[in-house]
Every structure is written in structure tokens, then in C-alpha cells.
């Protein structure tokens, strides 16, 4: 993907993270950029994979307090991580096994984060509106994840 095909938000992410390899710092700024770029969302952030415990652990985010531990395969985040497939859920209340960390959330999109076959975690965004996330949003967020992963040093 070339810089010309990236949305403005994704170009901003690339510029913001260039030269920085600290995972927590990059997640903090990436979640802040998402929260300020997208309208009608109430949570944007990351969960990191804890391999020994086989669970996702809360990482940097913007929004209300959140669940701190999610079992691999549980809820929307755990399902996206286990399947290694984006989950774009129009109504989380109809998702079997949904974990209600914030009762105000009605729709959700989760993008798994994997680099060089190493599973890192997920990018998670919630909205108080039903059916908030479009196919175009999904494509942009998959590109956002790809830009983010360019700046992740899995050996650090």
C-alpha cells in the first residue's frame, strides 16, 4: 500500500509513529488519533495478547473504563483474535457471547494485529449507535492496523 492510497488519518498515523518503536506509546497515540478522527464512537483502543495466560489484556485506549482480561475466543475481541479475522458487528447484543464492558456500546469493529506470524493483539472500536461501521470503515481500519504494525518492533 502506497502513501497515496492511505486516508488522511492513516497518513497522520504514519507520520505520528515514524521514528518511535515503543509499543505502548504508539498504541496510546494511535487510539487518541482514532478517537479524534471518528465520530460517533465511545471507545477506541487495544488489547494485547498474553500468551502464557492465553488471553487478551487491556492496553492503551480512549473511552470509558473497560474489561481488563478477555479469554481467547470470548466476546467480539476474543473471537476476532482467535479467528484472525475482522469482526464488524452491527448489533453487539445479537452477538453470541458478547462481553458488555460498556452498556452504552451497540456496535463494534475489531481488527486482529499480527506481524511476522506473531499474534500481538487486537484493535477495538465501539459505538453507541447500531450498525455504525461500514465496509469502507473496515477497509480504512485494516489499513490503519497495517500502518500501525509497520511501526511495531516485535523483537523489542
Amino acid at each position: 500500500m502506497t502513501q497515496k492510497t492511505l486516508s488522511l488519518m492513516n497518513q497522520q498515523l504514519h507520520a505520528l509513529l515514524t521514528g518511535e518503536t515503543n509499543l505502548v506509546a504508539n498504541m496510546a497515540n494511535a487510539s487518541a488519533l482514532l478517537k479524534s478522527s471518528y465520530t460517533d464512537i465511545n471507545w477506541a483502543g487495544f488489547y494485547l495478547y498474553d500468551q502464557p495466560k492465553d488471553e487478551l489484556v487491556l492496553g492503551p485506549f480512549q473511552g470509558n473504563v473497560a474489561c481488563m482480561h478477555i479469554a481467547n475466543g470470548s466476546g467480539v475481541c476474543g473471537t476476532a483474535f482467535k479467528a484472525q479475522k475482522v469482526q464488524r458487528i452491527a448489533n453487539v447484543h445479537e452477538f453470541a457471547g458478547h462481553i458488555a464492558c460498556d452498556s452504552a456500546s451497540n456496535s463494534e469493529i475489531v481488527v486482529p494485529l499480527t506481524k511476522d506470524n506473531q499474534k500481538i493483539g487486537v484493535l477495538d472500536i465501539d459505538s453507541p449507535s447500531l450498525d455504525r461501521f461500514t465496509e469502507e470503515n473496515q477497509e480504512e481500519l485494516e489499513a490503519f492496523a497495517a500502518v500501525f504494525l509497520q511501526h511495531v518492533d516485535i523483537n523489542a
Side-chain angles (χ1 to χ4, degrees):
M1 180 174 301
T2 66
Q3 201 66 14
K4 292 179 184 178
T5 62
L6 293 176
S7 69
L8 178 59
M9 178 184 69
N10 288 337
Q11 290 176 44
Q12 289 172 322
L13 179 67
H14 178 67
L16 186 64
L17 303 185
T18 294
E20 181 56 66
T21 58
N22 183 280
L23 182 62
V24 172
N26 284 348
M27 287 180 161
N29 269 334
S31 60
L33 179 60
L34 281 167
K35 188 77 165 81
S36 66
S37 298
Y38 270 78
T39 59
D40 197 26
I41 65 170
N42 58 330
W43 203 91
F46 296 87
Y47 281 90
L48 293 166
Y49 184 53
D50 181 336
Q51 188 171 5
K53 294 183 180 178
D54 195 29
E55 68 179 9
L56 296 167
V57 178
L58 182 64
F61 69 93
Q62 298 283 313
N64 292 331
V65 296
C67 299
M68 291 193 281
H69 301 271
I70 299 174
N72 186 6
S74 294
V76 180
C77 288
T79 298
F81 184 78
K82 186 170 188 168
Q84 288 295 292
K85 184 176 182 217
V86 174
Q87 299 293 305
R88 182 167 41 107
I89 309 301
N91 183 346
V92 295
H93 308 290
E94 295 176 351
F95 186 89
H98 173 250
I99 301 168
C101 297
D102 181 351
S103 62
S105 294
N106 287 309
S107 62
E108 184 172 8
I109 188 166
V110 180
V111 180
L113 301 171
T114 301
K115 182 172 184 175
D116 299 334
N117 295 318
Q118 183 173 333
K119 296 175 180 180
I120 296 166
V122 297
L123 168 63
D124 180 24
I125 304 171
D126 295 0
S127 172
S129 297
L130 293 170
D131 204 18
R132 160 63 181 89
F133 302 103
T134 65
E135 188 174 326
E136 291 78 23
N137 294 146
Q138 180 175 333
E139 290 171 6
E140 182 177 46
L141 292 168
E142 287 174 319
F144 186 93
V147 170
F148 176 81
L149 288 167
Q150 288 175 7
H151 299 278
V152 170
D153 181 0
I154 59 173
N155 299 312

